[in-house]
Amino acid sequence: MMHPRLPEAERKMMHLGRHIRCRLTKRQKRKYRAMFNEAMDKHESGLQAVRLVDDLIEQNRPLKW
């Protein structure tokens, strides 16, 4: 059983810089992609991967003053 938001999370992961609104280094992109793939391998449903993408976007988003 796949999580219903998994396709959306995969799309956001591909274009993470667009959702964070700042530039990511290649090292960061590789690291985040590896974390995403690891979460997908561990949990069949993809819930952990969906949460990971949401957390990454929230953590890296610049503060609005």
Side-chain angles (χ1 to χ4, degrees):
M1 173 89 184
M2 217 170 72
H3 193 276
R5 286 187 47 214
L6 186 61
E8 176 189 347
E10 287 177 330
R11 241 184 342 274
K12 284 183 178 180
M13 191 68 207
M14 278 179 46
H15 303 288
L16 196 59
R18 187 182 302 166
H19 294 283
I20 294 173
R21 294 191 192 109
C22 69
R23 288 196 170 272
L24 295 172
T25 63
K26 285 185 180 181
R27 180 179 291 164
Q28 286 175 313
K29 288 180 186 177
R30 262 196 317 262
K31 182 175 102 178
Y32 294 156
R33 173 54 73 180
M35 289 167 59
F36 182 80
N37 289 337
E38 184 180 330
M40 283 299 298
D41 291 342
K42 283 185 181 175
H43 303 277
E44 296 284 324
S45 68
L47 174 64
Q48 199 68 26
V50 170
R51 286 183 179 163
L52 174 74
V53 171
D54 290 340
D55 288 344
L56 285 174
I57 290 172
E58 194 60 39
Q59 288 173 7
N60 291 305
R61 186 170 285 158
L63 294 174
K64 292 186 178 179
W65 299 98

